[in-house]
């Protein structure tokens, strides 16, 4: 029985196909593997470029399977022709494979099997070349963070006007270059720094005060003096597709004693996880122990008035060609070659949110930190 593995996607958006071909394509491409040999069908717009740079053993043109005289030139017709000409009897596809193409494969006489797990489980363990590319992306995140600090240091607080953010002794809005400094303005400065260095910003978070208590809130409106501002930056390097991820929490001005305690608890918790993380360490147990440490420090994870407070997200996650990819931090024991973020956080409306994140490579005896940026609260 002649078997194959098959994908149909645009590698610009599909990490598995990008991993397989190391080649960016904005439109869907048919890729399959027979034995160890890989194949892909490209349009005339892409075929010459693919022959030069795509990591594919054989590059085919669309016309080799659907000549110009063929009226039906759909993706379904293409996969049917591939099955017939390559005499494929069984095709394994990823779980997100288009159902219309799966039915076309079956109609052409091939048995379709859906992969039970990741199409490329080896993506979990990063090779040296991948680690270097992720480190390169992390430097983009650091450049964005340094630009954020530069702007914040150049900002100064002013009394908020009536009707906008309180009156009298209410929160003071930060101003920069003669205008209110907003989440949007600061995010623009961060993203511009990343773009100038060859990166693609993706959902950069600049969240102040209670906005920061929703971990995925991007942030909007004015930034305030003496309040915690979470800066979470996760750019993608354009030429490689690999991500970095970095978070710092800062205050422009003076933090209250309660906010200092919250920050130091997160910082100490992160340092403890870093010291415990290595090959064969159990991520789930580390997460549970960290949650208990926070509770013992006076910051329990619970629901108050219908919303979660405390530490209610994961301790970290893996990344690579996707910002979140397998394995999860709490999925089991780590292996040397895993890349993980370590990003504990605590969130209490009225006080604010704090999250601190580094990106590490897990090794046999510990971690190699791919982040080279200090941690501090006050600017």
């Amino acid at each position: 029985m002649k078997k194959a593995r098959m994908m149909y996607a645009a590698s610009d958006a599909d990490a598995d196909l990008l991993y397989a071909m190391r080649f960016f394509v904005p439109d869907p491409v048919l890729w399959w593997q027979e034995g160890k040999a890989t194949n892909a069908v490209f349009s005339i717009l892409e075929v010459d470029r693919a022959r030069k740079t795509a990591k594919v053993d054989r590059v085919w043109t669309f016309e080799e399977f659907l000549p110009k005289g063929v009226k039906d030139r759909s993706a379904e017709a293409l996969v049917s022709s591939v099955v017939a000409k390559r005499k494929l009897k069984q095709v394994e596809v990823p779980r997100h494979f288009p159902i219309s193409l799966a039915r076309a494969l079956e109609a052409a006489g091939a048995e379709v099997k859906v992969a039970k797990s990741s199409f490329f489980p080896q993506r979990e363990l990063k090779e040296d070349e991948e680690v270097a590319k992720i480190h390169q992306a992390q430097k983009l995140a650091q450049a964005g963070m340094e630009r954020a600090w530069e702007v914040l240091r150049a900002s100064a607080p002013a009394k908020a006007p009536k009707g906008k953010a309180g009156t009298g002794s209410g929160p003071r809005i930060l101003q920069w270059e003669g205008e209110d400094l907003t989440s949007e303005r600061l995010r623009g400065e961060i993203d511009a720094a990343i773009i100038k260095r060859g990166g693609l910003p993706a959902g950069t978070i600049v969240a102040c005060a209670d906005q920061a208590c929703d971990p995925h809130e991007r942030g909007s409106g004015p930034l305030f003096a003496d309040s915690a501002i979470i800066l979470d930056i996760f750019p993608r390097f354009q030429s490689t597709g690999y991500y970095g991820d970095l978070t710092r929490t800062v205050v422009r001005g003076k933090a209250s004693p309660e906010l200092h305690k919250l920050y130091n608890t997160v910082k100490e918790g992160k340092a403890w996880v870093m010291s415990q993380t290595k090959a064969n360490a159990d991520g789930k147990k580390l997460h549970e122990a960290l949650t208990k440490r926070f509770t013992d420090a006076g910051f329990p994870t619970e629901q108050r008035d219908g919303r979660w407070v405390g530490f209610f997200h994961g301790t970290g996650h893996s990344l690579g060609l996707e910002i979140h990819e397998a394995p999860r931090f709490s999925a089991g024991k780590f292996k040397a070659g895993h890349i993980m973020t370590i990003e504990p956080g605590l969130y209490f409306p009225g006080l604010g949110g704090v999250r601190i994140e580094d990106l590490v490579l897990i090794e046999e005896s510990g971690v190699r930190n791919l982040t080279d940026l200090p941690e501090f609260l006050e600017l």
Side-chain angles (χ1 to χ4, degrees):
M1 180 182 289
K2 197 170 183 183
K3 301 179 180 180
R5 305 170 76 230
M6 185 176 288
M7 294 186 286
Y8 181 79
S11 62
D12 274 10
D14 189 283
D16 277 341
L17 188 58
L18 181 57
Y19 181 83
M21 299 196 307
R22 306 295 171 145
F23 182 70
F24 286 98
V25 186
D27 298 315
V29 168
L30 183 66
W31 175 98
W32 75 95
Q33 181 178 15
E34 299 176 37
K36 294 183 178 180
T38 58
N39 304 262
V41 181
F42 294 91
S43 71
I44 58 173
L45 293 174
E46 303 290 358
V47 68
D48 291 331
R49 188 168 67 95
R51 284 175 175 145
K52 293 176 184 176
T53 59
K55 187 181 176 183
V56 178
D57 293 322
R58 182 165 181 180
V59 171
W60 301 80
T61 64
F62 197 84
E63 285 68 27
E64 287 179 270
F65 291 98
L66 295 177
K68 291 183 179 180
V70 176
K71 291 184 179 180
D72 187 355
R73 303 178 67 77
S74 65
E76 290 78 9
L78 176 61
V79 299
S80 298
S81 179
V82 169
V83 166
K85 292 190 176 184
R86 302 302 298 171
K87 297 180 172 59
L88 303 178
K89 296 300 181 183
Q90 186 183 92
V91 178
E92 183 184 35
V93 299
R95 286 172 287 181
H96 60 276
F97 192 77
I99 190 170
S100 64
L101 300 192
R103 288 173 175 167
L105 290 172
E106 291 173 333
E111 177 190 3
V112 176
K113 300 189 72 174
V114 179
K116 294 181 179 179
S117 59
S118 171
F119 220 52
F120 294 104
Q122 62 268 37
R123 280 179 55 198
E124 292 190 8
L125 300 178
K126 304 306 190 279
E127 299 175 355
D128 290 345
E129 179 185 356
E130 293 180 283
V131 173
K133 290 175 179 177
I134 292 169
H135 195 188
Q136 186 181 38
Q138 189 70 348
K139 290 180 180 179
L140 290 175
Q142 293 184 182
M145 188 68 71
E146 288 170 338
R147 178 55 181 161
W149 292 347
E150 181 180 21
V151 171
L152 284 167
R153 286 191 176 104
S155 70
K159 291 288 186 182
K162 291 184 179 181
K164 189 170 185 181
T167 60
S169 61
R172 297 178 298 163
I173 295 175
L174 292 172
Q175 293 193 328
W176 176 62
E177 294 188 342
E179 297 180 15
D180 289 353
L181 181 59
T182 63
S183 293
E184 292 85 353
R185 288 188 74 198
L186 188 55
R187 182 161 42 246
E189 292 295 319
I190 294 168
D191 290 353
I194 290 167
I195 291 169
K196 288 177 182 178
R197 291 164 175 79
L200 289 171
T204 301
I205 292 172
V206 180
C208 182
D210 280 357
Q211 286 189 3
C213 295
D214 292 312
H216 283 172
E217 168 62 54
R218 293 186 65 194
S220 63
L223 302 175
F224 301 111
D226 309 325
S227 296
I229 304 171
I230 289 183
L231 305 166
D232 191 344
I233 306 170
F234 36 101
R236 195 180 196 192
F237 208 91
Q238 290 192 59
S239 63
T240 67
Y242 283 90
Y243 282 89
D245 201 353
L246 170 67
T247 305
R248 292 291 185 265
T249 302
V250 295
V251 169
R252 177 64 177 118
K254 294 293 183 181
S256 67
E258 294 79 11
L259 188 53
H260 270 289
K261 181 181 178 183
L262 190 72
Y263 181 88
N264 289 333
T265 301
V266 173
K267 182 177 179 180
E268 291 164 5
K270 173 177 164 288
W272 177 80
V273 174
M274 296 270 283
S275 72
Q276 301 298 307
T277 301
K278 59 183 177 181
N280 292 315
D282 190 309
K284 183 178 180 181
K285 291 181 179 178
L286 286 178
H287 175 78
E288 291 171 348
L290 178 60
T291 303
K292 185 177 184 303
R293 289 173 71 95
F294 286 160
T295 298
D296 293 344
F299 299 111
T301 300
E302 59 190 14
Q303 282 192 306
R304 295 181 185 175
D305 299 323
R307 68 175 296 169
W308 283 99
V309 300
F311 181 37
F312 50 89
H313 61 70
T315 298
H317 59 87
S318 187
L319 58 70
L321 291 172
E322 296 173 284
I323 188 58
H324 297 108
E325 63 181 42
R328 295 180 297 108
F329 190 94
S330 297
K333 292 185 177 181
F334 299 128
K335 295 180 181 179
H338 282 159
I339 292 248
M340 284 286 169
T341 68
I342 296 179
E343 51 176 309
L346 287 170
Y347 311 91
F348 289 89
L351 179 55
V354 171
R355 185 167 65 252
I356 310 173
E357 174 187 27
D358 282 355
L359 183 62
V360 303
L361 170 67
I362 295 175
E363 299 178 325
E364 290 293 342
S365 59
V367 298
R368 171 152 55 102
N369 198 339
L370 303 180
T371 309
D372 182 21
L373 211 63
E375 299 170 9
F376 50 81
L377 179 58
E378 293 178 339
L379 282 167

